[in-house]
Amino acid sequence: MKHSKRKLLVMFGIVVTGYLFIMVFPFLWIFITSFKTSGEIFGTGAFNVIPEDPTLKNYAVILFEKGILRAIINSFVVAISTTIYVIVVASLCAYAISRFHFKGKSILLGLVLAVSMFPQMIITGPVYNLFYDLGWLNSYFVILPYSTITLPMAVWILVTHFNQIPLALEESAKIDGATRIQTLTKIVFPLAAPGVFTTAIITFIAAWNEFLLTITLNTESNFHTVPVAISFLRDQFSILWGEVAAATTIVTIPTLIIVLIFQKQIVSGLTSGGVKE
């Protein structure tokens, strides 16, 4: 019995290790490729794990010649702004859906979920026409249509967390003379902090990685975000894979740091609303 259990654990460990290796390998290979010269990337040393002639040229080019730092700044501005306004709107919307009883509540939640399933290509054309008429092309106003990809998800997550907060706490605060705003800021939001925090991180990452809306609405390089800037690392006949790998390595660092630092809060926020108490 013990031998069978030990054998099962060993097999499980091998499967998990293999799965993790498959998941991590693309990121590891991109990191290795970023130190290779173009000749080695396309030559006989393309599959070498350790570069024959390691170089930092790819990093120097994208940092000082290709303007990747400007793209990183743009991504931070867009992602942080999107996160702030989406969390504010989603929190108020989710609280209203969670606490108020009205006809069509389930239908409304279904519509919110349906909106998140719309292909971005469907809305890109109308949004472009609207921005053209308003004169908002090539600007940071691109954060406004980002809500189409982040707001529905944020509302769904926060509704679940608000549902876990006992209504009796709000009723007690009301009896003690607290206003609705005081109840929200001092009781509801602090208790829903894990969900709000998790939603903010997920929203930030989604905005950081957004590509289609930015490349459509912001054609000038001064307003390109990181994914768009990386897509332009090419010349007339080829893609500059060494520079792409170096840029990918650099721009992955912020999101990687966020996930590693706040991984406990992310897991706590995702799981705390999953069990009805």
Side-chain angles (χ1 to χ4, degrees):
M1 185 69 178
K2 291 183 178 180
H3 179 71
S4 300
K5 186 177 181 180
R6 182 179 300 175
K7 185 176 180 180
L8 182 62
L9 289 175
V10 171
M11 292 179 62
F12 179 76
I14 294 174
V15 172
V16 171
T17 302
Y19 175 77
L20 291 176
F21 176 77
I22 293 173
M23 295 296 294
V24 174
F25 180 77
F27 302 98
L28 177 62
W29 194 254
I30 288 175
F31 179 72
I32 294 172
T33 304
S34 67
F35 295 99
K36 293 183 178 181
T37 61
S38 298
E40 187 173 357
I41 292 174
F42 297 102
T44 57
F47 296 102
N48 291 342
V49 177
I50 300 177
E52 295 179 357
D53 186 20
T55 178
L56 294 175
K57 181 180 178 181
N58 295 322
Y59 289 93
V61 170
I62 63 169
L63 287 174
F64 304 111
E65 297 181 17
K66 297 299 178 69
I68 197 67
L69 291 178
R70 178 64 184 177
I72 292 176
I73 294 173
N74 290 338
S75 286
F76 270 115
V77 171
V78 170
I80 292 175
S81 301
T82 300
T83 300
I84 292 174
Y85 92 83
V86 165
I87 290 301
V88 171
V89 174
S91 297
L92 298 177
C93 179
Y95 179 78
I97 294 175
S98 174
R99 287 295 184 258
F100 301 148
H101 299 284
F102 53 88
K103 292 182 179 180
K105 184 176 180 179
S106 299
I107 297 176
L108 177 60
L109 282 173
L111 289 175
V112 171
L113 183 61
V115 169
S116 66
M117 297 180 180
F118 284 176
Q120 277 188 273
M121 189 61 69
I122 294 178
I123 66 169
T124 301
V127 170
Y128 179 86
N129 292 333
L130 176 63
F131 271 50
Y132 179 81
D133 293 336
L134 294 175
W136 288 356
L137 296 176
N138 296 309
S139 68
Y140 288 125
F141 283 111
V142 71
I143 66 175
L144 297 178
Y146 272 26
S147 59
T148 59
I149 60 175
T150 56
L151 189 58
M153 170 197 62
V155 171
W156 263 87
I157 295 176
L158 291 176
V159 165
T160 303
H161 285 277
F162 286 139
N163 287 338
Q164 304 305 310
I165 300 176
L167 185 60
L169 293 177
E170 298 179 47
E171 293 175 347
S172 298
K174 185 177 180 180
I175 293 174
D176 292 337
T179 63
R180 176 71 70 176
I181 299 299
Q182 289 175 331
T183 302
L184 284 174
T185 56
K186 296 183 179 181
I187 296 178
V188 176
F189 287 158
L191 291 176
V196 174
F197 192 82
T198 301
T199 306
I201 294 176
I202 296 175
T203 301
F204 178 90
I205 294 175
W208 179 273
N209 293 326
E210 204 287 324
F211 175 80
L212 182 59
L213 288 171
T214 303
I215 197 173
T216 303
L217 301 177
N218 290 347
T219 56
E220 294 182 2
S221 59
N222 289 336
F223 292 97
H224 283 174
T225 55
V226 163
V228 177
I230 292 178
S231 71
F232 281 95
L233 292 176
R234 60 179 184 265
D235 55 26
Q236 186 175 0
F237 301 105
S238 63
I239 298 175
L240 307 174
W241 289 113
E243 297 177 12
V244 169
T248 303
T249 300
I250 291 176
V251 302
T252 302
I253 292 175
T255 53
L256 181 62
I257 291 175
I258 291 174
V259 172
L260 291 178
I261 293 177
F262 301 112
Q263 57 182 328
K264 292 183 179 179
Q265 290 84 347
I266 294 174
V267 174
S268 174
L270 290 174
T271 58
S272 62
V275 179
K276 186 174 181 60
E277 300 178 354

